[in-house]
Amino acid sequence: GPAVVNVAVVERARAQRDDDGNPLGADDPFGDFFRRFGIPNHPRDNTPARGEGSGFIVSPDGYILTNAHVVANASKVTVKLTDRREFEAKVIGSDERTDVAVIKIAAGNLPTVRIGDPSKLRAGEWVAAIGSPFGFENSVTVGVVSGIARNLPGDAGNYVPFIQTDVAVNPGNSGGPLFNLNGEVVGINSQIYSNTGAYQGLSFAIPIDVATGVREQLIKSGRVSRGRIGVTIQEVSALLAENFGLDRPRGAAVSSVESGGPADKAGVRPQDVILSVNGRAIEHSNQVPAIIAAIKPGAKAELEVWRDRAVKHLSVTVDELKESATVARAGGGGQGADAIDRLGLSVRVLTGEEKQQLHTSGSLIVVDSDGSAAEAGIRSGDVVLAANRVRVASIEELRNAVKGSGRTASLLVQRGEQQQIVAIRI
C-alpha cells in the first residue's frame, strides 16, 4: 500500500474545433458576444482539463510506473503519497503502444513494490488491485484472473498480452498495480471493457515484465526500440487449418509481406503460417508482434513456417519499427522551449521515408497545435519549413528562430502541395 501513489494531472488546454476539425476563431458569430460579457463554458473556453490516476514506486529514488494515457498531454503531474506528502513529477517517457509511462519525483528512501512473475499466473488465481477509483485513494479491490495473453478488440498492434481479471477497476485505477497473493506486482491495471465507462466485470492489466522492459528503455534512452519484420498476419481458423493441411488451428497466417522488407528478403510468402519464432511455439497470431518487437533490431529471428504442407526454416534479420506517432514536444524547460510553447506547437522530426511520401524538403511536422498556433490556422500534419524567414530543419533550429520573436512570429508551412505563410500573435 505505501508504495502505491495517486497521480493527479493538469492537461494542456486545447483549442476547440468545429465538426470539420477547424479552430473556432474569427468566423464564430457568437465569439465576441461571449467574450464581451465574460461568459464561461462557451466552446471557445480552453480551461485545462484535470485528471486522476494511480501509479506505484519501483525504486527508492523516486521512479514510478503508471499508464501512458494517465500522463498524456500533461502540463503538470502531481504525485501524492499515502503519508500525504505531495511532489511535482517529471515525465521521463511514455510508450503509447504498451500504455506504459515512467515518471519521477525528487525524493529518497521511498517504499517500493516487489515485482512478481506474470508468466506463473493461472486462470482462477486470486489477485488484488490498489488505486484511486473515482478519486478514492488507496482503495483495494479483489478478484480472480479470468484469462491470460488476451488480445483486445481493435488493438492492431498486439504488443501487450493482457491479463484479464474480474477485479473491480474504475476510472482512477489506471496505472495502479495488480498484486498476486504474495504481495508481488504482476501487472499494471490499464483498461476496462465496458458499455458505460465503469466496471462491468472485465478488467485488463499489462504484464509487469512487459512494463519493466519498457521502463528500462525509457529511463536509458527516453524511447522504446522495437523489432519488425514487415508482415501482416491473421489468426488461423479451423477452415484455414484444414485448407493448409495443418493438424489443428495454430500459428499466424501471413496475409501480406512488405515488398523489400526483412521478411520478403528472407523468403517469407503470403499464405505461409508462422509456427514458431526463435523456438517459441505460436498458438495464436497475437503472440507474434510482441515476440518480434522484443528482438533487438539487427538481430536474427529464426522462423519455422508451414508452406505447401511442409515445415520450412527461415532466418530473418529484424529491422527497427519506426515510431511515426512519437511526439517530440518542444517543452521541458529553458527559454527556447518556452518560446515554442507560447506558440502552442507540438512537433517532431520527419524520417527520410516520410519526407519522400509527403514530397517535402521540410523536416518538422506539426503533431498538434493549440492556443495561438491553432487560432492562426496551423493544423496537425502541416510541415514547418521556416520560422521568422529562417529555414529550420530541427527542433533546436525552430526554437532558436522563434526565441527572438516579439509579439508575433511567422511560419512558412507546407500543407499538401501548397505553401503558405502564417502569422501568429504570441
Side-chain angles (χ1 to χ4, degrees), residues 236 240-248 250-254 267-276 282 303-314:
V236 177
L240 276 179
E242 180 181 346
N243 181 261
F244 289 163
L246 281 169
D247 56 342
R248 60 181 178 84
R250 59 190 175 101
V254 178
V268 178
R269 301 176 188 172
Q271 301 187 71
D272 283 350
V273 177
I274 300 174
L275 299 179
S276 73
I282 304 299
L303 306 184
E304 184 182 52
V305 303
W306 181 261
R307 180 190 302 166
D308 297 332
R309 299 176 182 264
V311 173
K312 294 185 178 296
H313 295 273
L314 302 173

Side-chain angles (χ1 to χ4, degrees), residues 340 347 349 363-364 391-399:
I340 297 182
V347 298
V349 178
S363 299
L364 295 176
R391 299 288 295 192
V392 292
S394 69
I395 294 175
E396 188 63 29
E397 290 180 0
L398 175 60
R399 177 178 293 131

